[in-house]
């Protein structure tokens, strides 16, 4: 086990309780996500895990060693990327990597500059000032700088905040590649549901300073419910006919009807969708829409907190 968080609480001087007795484990080689809206306590948790803040109560074990027993030595195992840009934008990408290498006092035999330059793959742009980089390029370079010391655990605080969807997807792929190719344990905070779903092996949903759910995205979604098939009919008459044909279908566990739309709760919605389409079309029932509505992390968040995630952003 890489990291064990035990009963951590954080109360600030003015009395605000930012974290309320949270506990979770992060396994070696895992991409672990802290998912929650702004102000939920994600960044506070990460700052405590990286020794930037001290907890009010509780402890953190890193490879079975108490983080507070020797924070400087244990911190040497970490790479950390904060939300705010930490690069020197007057320097080139190459110069930023070289600077990090010098700051870590790496011997020539330990110098990973060439390896990191190949890894971040910025091409000729590596030799232009960082001020001319896109947001995605800057984030790749920041992650490269964090890897210069060969960290066992890489902490990423909102790594794609403010990036467009193309740059975000590029960073997602980059994080997964680092995790698999270099066996780096990654701990990431995010308030993007799709990001947590795509890159994380396990997530902890944090709301108002408390962990409300923990597990792999797929396991959490399965706990919440079955998949759905949503059918929109051309008329109410078509909807009524479909209802009579489907009422005895054994694979339909439940259904909801709103106006001329029917939502069916089923197992294996993807394959059942085509079966239902063939049945209804064979009966001359006219449909204007047929979609597979899979359970999402938004549904998971709603289930555990009683609120839609986007309301909290």
């Amino acid at each position: 086990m890489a990291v064990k968080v035990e009963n951590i609480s954080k109360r600030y001087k003015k009395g605000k309780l930012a974290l309320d007795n949270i506990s979770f484990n992060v396994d070696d080689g895992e991409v672990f996500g802290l998912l929650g809206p702004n102000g939920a306590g994600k960044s506070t948790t990460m700052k405590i895990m990286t020794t930037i803040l001290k907890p009010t109560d509780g402890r953190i074990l890193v490879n079975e060693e108490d983080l507070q027993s020797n924070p400087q030595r244990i911190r040497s195992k970490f790479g950390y990327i904060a939300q705010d840009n930490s690069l020197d934008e007057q320097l080139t990408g190459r110069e930023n990597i070289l600077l990090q290498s010098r700051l870590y006092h790496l011997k020539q035999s330990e110098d990973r500059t060439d390896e990191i330059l190949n890894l971040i793959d910025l091409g000729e742009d590596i030799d232009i000032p960082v001020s001319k980089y896109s947001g995605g390029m800057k984030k790749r370079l920041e992650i490269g700088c964090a890897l210069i010391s060969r960290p066992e655990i890489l902490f990423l605080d909102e790594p794609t905040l403010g990036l467009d969807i193309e740059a975000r997807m590029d960073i997602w792929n980059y994080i997964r590649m680092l995790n698999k190719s270099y066996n780096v344990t990654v701990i990431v905070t995010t308030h993007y549901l799709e990001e947590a779903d795509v890159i994380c092996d396990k997530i902890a949903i944090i709301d108002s300073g408390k962990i409300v759910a923990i597990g792999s995205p797929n396991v959490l979604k399965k706990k919440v419910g079955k998949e759905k098939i949503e059918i929109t009919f051309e008329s109410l008459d078509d909807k009524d006919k479909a209802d009579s044909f489907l009422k005895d279908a054994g694979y339909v566990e439940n259904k909801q009807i709103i106006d001329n739309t029917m939502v069916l709760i089923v197992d294996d919605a993807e394959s059942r969708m085509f079966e239902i389409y063939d049945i209804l079309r064979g009966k001359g029932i006219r449909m204007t829409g047929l979609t597979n509505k899979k359970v999402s992390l938004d549904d998971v968040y709603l289930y555990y907190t009683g609120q839609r995630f986007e309301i909290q952003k």
Side-chain angles (χ1 to χ4, degrees):
M1 185 179 299
V3 181
K4 188 173 185 179
V5 174
E6 294 184 339
N7 308 114
I8 290 290
S9 293
K10 178 62 180 179
R11 186 181 294 276
Y12 289 105
K13 290 182 179 179
K14 293 185 178 181
K16 179 184 176 182
L17 185 62
L19 295 176
D20 188 3
N21 195 37
I22 67 169
S23 298
F24 57 85
N25 299 328
V26 182
D27 294 329
D28 284 319
E30 189 170 63
V31 179
F32 182 91
L34 284 166
L35 173 65
N38 294 331
K42 305 184 304 297
S43 293
T44 298
T45 303
M46 181 163 284
K47 287 177 181 178
I48 291 174
M49 295 176 76
T50 53
T51 73
I52 296 172
L53 290 176
K54 288 186 177 181
T56 305
D57 294 298
R59 66 173 187 166
I60 296 175
L61 301 178
V62 179
N63 295 327
E64 303 302 327
E65 187 174 3
D66 192 323
L67 182 60
Q68 294 302 318
S69 66
N70 195 335
Q72 186 172 354
R73 187 178 64 78
I74 297 176
R75 191 166 54 235
S76 68
K77 301 177 181 180
F78 298 163
Y80 174 60
I81 304 296
Q83 288 186 33
D84 297 329
N85 179 16
S86 61
L87 300 170
D88 187 327
E89 298 207 356
Q90 302 307 308
L91 301 180
T92 66
R94 185 188 302 276
E95 289 167 342
N96 270 275
I97 294 290
L98 289 169
L99 176 61
Q100 286 296 312
S101 180
R102 301 299 179 267
L103 290 174
Y104 277 105
H105 304 291
L106 297 180
K107 299 175 184 177
Q108 189 171 0
S109 60
E110 299 173 328
D111 196 334
R112 302 181 70 200
T113 302
D114 290 339
E115 179 186 348
I116 297 299
L117 292 176
N118 289 331
L119 178 65
I120 61 179
D121 191 26
L122 291 176
E124 295 180 355
D125 291 329
I126 197 66
D127 290 311
I128 66 173
V130 171
S131 59
K132 297 182 180 180
Y133 283 14
S134 67
M137 292 167 66
K138 289 178 182 178
K139 189 59 65 174
R140 287 168 70 96
L141 179 59
E142 278 194 289
I143 295 174
C145 288
L147 292 172
I148 198 75
S149 64
R150 299 182 186 272
E152 297 176 21
I153 304 171
L154 181 61
F155 292 89
L156 303 173
D157 193 3
E158 300 279 8
T160 63
L161 186 65
L163 302 183
D164 60 38
I165 185 60
E166 184 176 351
R168 284 165 58 195
M169 291 179 69
D170 182 49
I171 296 299
W172 297 346
N173 291 331
Y174 188 51
I175 292 170
R176 292 302 304 183
M177 182 274 292
L178 292 174
N179 170 249
K180 298 303 179 187
S181 300
Y182 291 84
N183 196 35
V184 178
T185 300
V186 180
I187 300 175
V188 57
T189 68
T190 182
H191 64 263
Y192 292 125
L193 294 168
E194 68 276 24
E195 181 164 279
D197 210 350
V198 168
I199 69 172
C200 294
D201 300 307
K202 187 167 65 183
I203 61 172
I205 297 177
I206 186 167
D207 182 59
S208 300
K210 295 183 179 181
I211 300 290
V212 297
I214 191 165
S216 74
N218 285 338
V219 166
L220 289 176
K221 286 185 285 187
K222 285 179 180 178
K223 284 182 180 178
V224 168
K226 305 289 184 179
E227 295 181 351
K228 306 171 187 177
I229 296 174
E230 185 174 287
I231 312 169
T232 305
F233 298 96
E234 189 167 307
S235 68
L236 293 176
D237 184 54
D238 287 307
K239 181 264 296 178
D240 291 337
K241 289 179 181 178
D243 191 25
S244 66
F245 285 124
L246 294 173
K247 66 181 180 181
D248 295 324
Y251 50 78
V252 178
E253 298 184 13
N254 198 357
K255 67 175 178 289
Q256 302 165 336
I257 298 175
I258 304 174
D259 297 328
N260 64 333
T261 298
M262 181 183 296
V263 178
L264 306 175
I265 311 299
V266 300
D267 265 327
D268 194 13
E270 190 169 353
S271 62
R272 291 297 186 188
M273 184 170 66
F274 295 103
E275 181 178 346
I276 291 169
Y277 176 78
D278 289 338
I279 291 172
L280 298 183
R281 188 180 181 191
K283 300 296 184 180
I285 294 172
R286 298 165 298 172
M287 296 166 281
T288 59
L290 181 66
T291 56
N292 176 5
K293 295 282 188 178
K294 295 187 176 182
V295 176
S296 68
L297 285 182
D298 190 29
D299 297 316
V300 174
Y301 187 82
L302 174 64
Y303 178 84
Y304 283 105
T305 69
Q307 300 178 80
R308 283 288 179 193
F309 193 88
E310 56 265 31
I311 296 174
Q312 296 292 310
K313 286 183 181 178

